[in-house]
Amino acid sequence: MDIENEIDAGTQRALLDKVHRHTGIHMADRKWTLLQGRLRRRLQALELCRYRDYLAVLDAHPEEVGAFINLVTTNETSFFRTPRIWEHFQQHLLPEWFRLHRGATLQLWSAAASTGEEAYSMAMVCEEFREHHPAFKYQILATDIASHVLATGKAGHYQGKSIEGLKRAKPDLFDRYFQPSGDGYLASPSLRAHVLFREHHLHKRLDGASRFDITMLRNVLIYFDEEGQRHVLENAHRAMAPGSVLIIGESESLTRLNVGFDFEQPLVYRRQERAHA
Ligand SMILES: C[S@@+](CC[C@H](N)C(=O)[O-])C[C@H]1O[C@@H](n2cnc3c(N)ncnc32)[C@H](O)[C@@H]1O
């Protein structure tokens, strides 16, 4: 079945707007080719030839929205992405938190977790820390809007480029925390027991009290416009404990946004003590 190549401007704009409505991701008109490429496979699967008909399917069948979100999000990630952040996490943030909060449980949030490599990197560093500090306790919440990536995270099963990257960068941790399983490697029960994966849209408020001590909100703000970034950061601020730490991605910045975080060092911010108005 041939899928149309010439799409009218109204349909293009309506689909780009749907991306924004369902994910908060801002796609300018020039991103149409990218979106078209991603939607093409879905049209094929649904045996549709016109993008306009896919719009109608999205409107008539709310259950299609999940598949749409899975297609339009970019889920690239890796274990120990941006190594200097992980050095800081291991050498400064964990010891500092442990010194100040004996007896408590460190609450970590991987806030755009994708397939879970970031959350399991947190867990490996925490397990190593626990070896030397048996009283240390931690919990990790890993959230994302896309259900297909969360399924990989929940399974804790990795193959190909993802696990090969860990093997190369951290052979000791790879040996200690991953076992061969089928055509890939499975995260150890000790890692999996500490990570909870959940669907969450960053534009919505996370339920529960302000609790996270360390939040990684990395490589996702870039997809939102300024208003969206502010909204997401305000929600993150609400979910985080006073004095807690926020870590963002390499091409992101909070300068100009004025959302209740103080700059601590590149990519690392501290939530202001006083409630943000
Ligand atoms: C490029 S990945 C970043 C993964 C990881 N944080 C890292 O830095 O490697 C961006 C992730 O953000 C998720 N995402 C996009 N919009 C979102 C939203 N509104 N709420 C929650 N997650 C979202 C995507 O599904 C994707 O998995």
Side-chain angles (χ1 to χ4, degrees), residues 213-230:
D213 301 297
I214 302 175
T215 297
M216 292 204 185
L217 179 68
R218 303 193 305 152
N219 304 302
V220 66
L221 289 172
I222 34 165
Y223 298 106
F224 307 138
D225 56 17
E226 194 171 309
E227 191 193 335
Q229 291 183 3
R230 193 169 279 118

Side-chain angles (χ1 to χ4, degrees), residues 24-277:
I25 295 171
H26 172 73
M27 279 190 170
D29 289 335
R30 68 192 151 73
K31 292 280 178 184
W32 168 251
T33 321
L34 173 78
L35 182 61
Q36 183 181 6
R38 290 179 175 188
L39 293 181
R40 211 182 165 78
R41 277 175 290 150
R42 190 66 190 149
L43 263 71
Q44 253 153 7
L46 297 174
E47 300 186 356
L48 299 172
C49 3
R50 297 184 315 171
Y51 286 84
R52 200 176 326 144
D53 296 337
Y54 184 63
L55 260 181
V57 170
L58 263 180
D59 287 334
H61 301 279
E63 67 278 11
E64 178 60 22
V65 171
F68 180 66
I69 291 173
N70 286 345
L71 281 175
V72 303
T73 50
T74 301
N75 312 110
E76 191 182 321
T77 188
S78 54
F79 289 101
F80 294 101
R81 184 173 189 177
T82 314
R84 70 197 154 100
I85 282 305
W86 294 97
E87 275 162 37
H88 183 64
F89 177 67
Q90 179 194 10
Q91 290 169 15
H92 300 285
L93 297 180
L94 281 193
E96 175 199 70
W97 181 89
F98 188 60
R99 204 175 51 248
L100 298 173
H101 301 85
R102 301 236 168 205
T105 300
L106 173 68
Q107 301 288 342
L108 299 143
W109 183 20
S110 170
S114 185
T115 35
E117 283 87 335
E118 180 175 89
Y120 287 119
S121 301
M122 287 175 168
M124 284 185 267
V125 177
C126 287
E127 284 296 294
E128 295 293 296
F129 188 78
R130 199 153 67 103
E131 284 264 313
H132 300 104
H133 307 89
F136 173 64
K137 292 179 286 187
Y138 70 99
Q139 274 174 358
I140 301 166
L141 178 68
T143 62
D144 202 282
I145 196 174
S147 57
H148 71 313
V149 288
L150 288 169
T152 301
K154 277 182 200 159
H157 189 265
Y158 296 94
Q159 301 151 283
K161 200 168 94 176
S162 162
I163 199 72
E164 292 304 327
L166 176 66
K167 206 183 207 172
R168 239 187 348 266
K170 308 264 179 197
D172 295 353
L173 295 182
F174 167 75
D175 284 344
R176 206 164 309 146
Y177 296 107
F178 284 85
Q179 288 83 41
S181 161
D183 52 357
Y185 292 85
L186 185 65
S188 71
S190 62
L191 294 193
R192 281 184 287 135
H194 282 91
V195 190
L196 175 71
F197 285 90
R198 231 180 82 181
E199 210 167 301
H200 173 66
H201 188 331
L202 288 166
H203 287 255
K204 299 191 176 150
R205 286 194 190 184
L206 196 66
D207 49 336
S210 310
R211 60 185 190 282
F212 295 104
D213 301 297
I214 302 175
T215 297
M216 292 204 185
L217 179 68
R218 303 193 305 152
N219 304 302
V220 66
L221 289 172
I222 34 165
Y223 298 106
F224 307 138
D225 56 17
E226 194 171 309
E227 191 193 335
Q229 291 183 3
R230 193 169 279 118
H231 191 211
V232 165
L233 286 159
E234 281 166 0
N235 285 339
H237 191 280
R238 256 183 223 108
M240 292 170 61
S244 59
V245 171
L246 174 72
I247 301 174
I248 59 172
E250 274 179 297
S251 30
E252 296 161 335
S253 161
L254 302 196
T255 321
R256 293 187 313 125
L257 289 173
N258 188 24
V259 275
F261 293 96
D262 291 326
F263 175 86
E264 198 157 278
Q265 64 170 76
L267 314 185
V268 181
Y269 291 79
R270 186 77 62 168
R271 183 193 190 272
Q272 286 165 3
E273 290 290 335
R274 271 193 301 148
H276 171 60

